[in-house]
mmCIF file of all heavy atoms in Angstrom:
data_model
loop_
_atom_site.group_PDB
_atom_site.id
_atom_site.type_symbol
_atom_site.label_atom_id
_atom_site.label_comp_id
_atom_site.label_asym_id
_atom_site.label_seq_id
_atom_site.Cartn_x
_atom_site.Cartn_y
_atom_site.Cartn_z
ATOM 1 N N PHE O 1532 3.769 15.282 1.238
ATOM 2 C CA PHE O 1532 3.494 13.979 1.841
ATOM 3 C C PHE O 1532 2.033 13.590 1.634
ATOM 4 O O PHE O 1532 1.704 12.422 1.287
ATOM 5 C CB PHE O 1532 3.858 13.975 3.309
ATOM 6 C CG PHE O 1532 3.604 12.631 3.929
ATOM 7 C CD1 PHE O 1532 4.555 11.624 3.837
ATOM 8 C CD2 PHE O 1532 2.451 12.359 4.630
ATOM 9 C CE1 PHE O 1532 4.339 10.363 4.383
ATOM 10 C CE2 PHE O 1532 2.199 11.122 5.194
ATOM 11 C CZ PHE O 1532 3.142 10.128 5.074
ATOM 12 N N LEU O 1564 8.363 5.147 6.101
ATOM 13 C CA LEU O 1564 8.477 6.603 5.871
ATOM 14 C C LEU O 1564 9.961 6.940 5.740
ATOM 15 O O LEU O 1564 10.817 6.330 6.392
ATOM 16 C CB LEU O 1564 7.921 7.370 7.052
ATOM 17 C CG LEU O 1564 6.461 7.093 7.439
ATOM 18 C CD1 LEU O 1564 6.103 7.828 8.737
ATOM 19 C CD2 LEU O 1564 5.535 7.461 6.332
ATOM 20 N N THR O 1565 10.257 7.951 4.928
ATOM 21 C CA THR O 1565 11.654 8.350 4.793
ATOM 22 C C THR O 1565 11.954 9.591 5.682
ATOM 23 O O THR O 1565 13.116 9.954 5.779
ATOM 24 C CB THR O 1565 12.006 8.683 3.352
ATOM 25 O OG1 THR O 1565 11.149 9.732 2.834
ATOM 26 C CG2 THR O 1565 11.893 7.414 2.469
ATOM 27 N N ARG O 1566 10.936 10.183 6.281
ATOM 28 C CA ARG O 1566 11.153 11.363 7.129
ATOM 29 C C ARG O 1566 10.338 11.227 8.438
ATOM 30 O O ARG O 1566 9.120 11.054 8.390
ATOM 31 C CB ARG O 1566 10.722 12.662 6.441
ATOM 32 C CG ARG O 1566 11.377 12.901 5.079
ATOM 33 C CD ARG O 1566 10.999 14.200 4.453
ATOM 34 N NE ARG O 1566 9.563 14.419 4.419
ATOM 35 C CZ ARG O 1566 8.949 15.279 3.635
ATOM 36 N NH1 ARG O 1566 9.651 16.016 2.732
ATOM 37 N NH2 ARG O 1566 7.640 15.473 3.664
ATOM 38 N N ALA O 1567 11.039 11.315 9.561
ATOM 39 C CA ALA O 1567 10.379 11.152 10.839
ATOM 40 C C ALA O 1567 9.335 12.267 11.055
ATOM 41 O O ALA O 1567 8.308 12.040 11.713
ATOM 42 C CB ALA O 1567 11.414 11.185 11.956
ATOM 43 N N GLU O 1568 9.589 13.432 10.459
ATOM 44 C CA GLU O 1568 8.626 14.535 10.643
ATOM 45 C C GLU O 1568 7.267 14.288 10.017
ATOM 46 O O GLU O 1568 6.307 15.014 10.253
ATOM 47 C CB GLU O 1568 9.209 15.859 10.167
ATOM 48 C CG GLU O 1568 9.562 15.897 8.712
ATOM 49 C CD GLU O 1568 11.012 15.564 8.378
ATOM 50 O OE1 GLU O 1568 11.660 14.878 9.188
ATOM 51 O OE2 GLU O 1568 11.460 16.013 7.324
ATOM 52 N N ASP O 1569 7.136 13.220 9.185
ATOM 53 C CA ASP O 1569 5.854 12.886 8.561
ATOM 54 C C ASP O 1569 4.977 11.982 9.385
ATOM 55 O O ASP O 1569 3.849 11.683 9.019
ATOM 56 C CB ASP O 1569 6.086 12.282 7.185
ATOM 57 C CG ASP O 1569 6.629 13.283 6.143
ATOM 58 O OD1 ASP O 1569 6.281 14.473 6.237
ATOM 59 O OD2 ASP O 1569 7.404 12.857 5.267
ATOM 60 N N VAL O 1570 5.482 11.504 10.515
ATOM 61 C CA VAL O 1570 4.727 10.538 11.312
ATOM 62 C C VAL O 1570 3.378 11.121 11.766
ATOM 63 O O VAL O 1570 2.325 10.465 11.654
ATOM 64 C CB VAL O 1570 5.558 10.041 12.507
ATOM 65 C CG1 VAL O 1570 4.673 9.208 13.476
ATOM 66 C CG2 VAL O 1570 6.721 9.200 12.044
ATOM 67 N N ARG O 1571 3.382 12.337 12.284
ATOM 68 C CA ARG O 1571 2.122 12.918 12.731
ATOM 69 C C ARG O 1571 1.091 13.050 11.606
ATOM 70 O O ARG O 1571 -0.072 12.717 11.779
ATOM 71 C CB ARG O 1571 2.419 14.296 13.379
ATOM 72 C CG ARG O 1571 1.155 14.929 13.977
ATOM 73 C CD ARG O 1571 1.490 16.228 14.639
ATOM 74 N NE ARG O 1571 2.473 15.960 15.664
ATOM 75 C CZ ARG O 1571 2.385 16.383 16.901
ATOM 76 N NH1 ARG O 1571 1.374 17.126 17.263
ATOM 77 N NH2 ARG O 1571 3.286 16.070 17.786
ATOM 78 N N GLU O 1572 1.554 13.575 10.482
ATOM 79 C CA GLU O 1572 0.639 13.718 9.296
ATOM 80 C C GLU O 1572 0.188 12.356 8.805
ATOM 81 O O GLU O 1572 -0.972 12.165 8.433
ATOM 82 C CB GLU O 1572 1.366 14.492 8.202
ATOM 83 C CG GLU O 1572 0.550 14.696 6.937
ATOM 84 C CD GLU O 1572 -0.615 15.699 7.076
ATOM 85 O OE1 GLU O 1572 -0.874 16.168 8.166
ATOM 86 O OE2 GLU O 1572 -1.210 16.027 6.030
ATOM 87 N N MET O 1573 1.106 11.378 8.793
ATOM 88 C CA MET O 1573 0.729 10.048 8.376
ATOM 89 C C MET O 1573 -0.363 9.493 9.303
ATOM 90 O O MET O 1573 -1.340 8.916 8.850
ATOM 91 C CB MET O 1573 1.962 9.106 8.359
ATOM 92 C CG MET O 1573 1.672 7.745 7.740
ATOM 93 S SD MET O 1573 0.924 6.535 8.833
ATOM 94 C CE MET O 1573 2.141 6.416 10.100
ATOM 95 N N ASN O 1574 -0.225 9.672 10.599
ATOM 96 C CA ASN O 1574 -1.255 9.177 11.521
ATOM 97 C C ASN O 1574 -2.601 9.821 11.278
ATOM 98 O O ASN O 1574 -3.635 9.143 11.284
ATOM 99 C CB ASN O 1574 -0.841 9.444 12.971
ATOM 100 C CG ASN O 1574 0.177 8.420 13.469
ATOM 101 O OD1 ASN O 1574 0.188 7.290 13.043
ATOM 102 N ND2 ASN O 1574 1.023 8.848 14.403
ATOM 103 N N LEU O 1603 8.328 9.319 -0.381
ATOM 104 C CA LEU O 1603 8.264 9.695 1.007
ATOM 105 C C LEU O 1603 7.680 8.581 1.875
ATOM 106 O O LEU O 1603 7.837 8.544 3.080
ATOM 107 C CB LEU O 1603 7.470 10.972 1.195
ATOM 108 C CG LEU O 1603 8.013 12.207 0.466
ATOM 109 C CD1 LEU O 1603 7.092 13.387 0.687
ATOM 110 C CD2 LEU O 1603 9.433 12.502 0.918
#
Side-chain angles (χ1 to χ4, degrees):
F1532 182 83
L1564 305 173
T1565 59
R1566 304 183 311 199
E1568 62 265 25
D1569 290 327
V1570 170
R1571 184 178 300 230
E1572 179 74 350
M1573 189 277 300
N1574 280 332
L1603 299 177

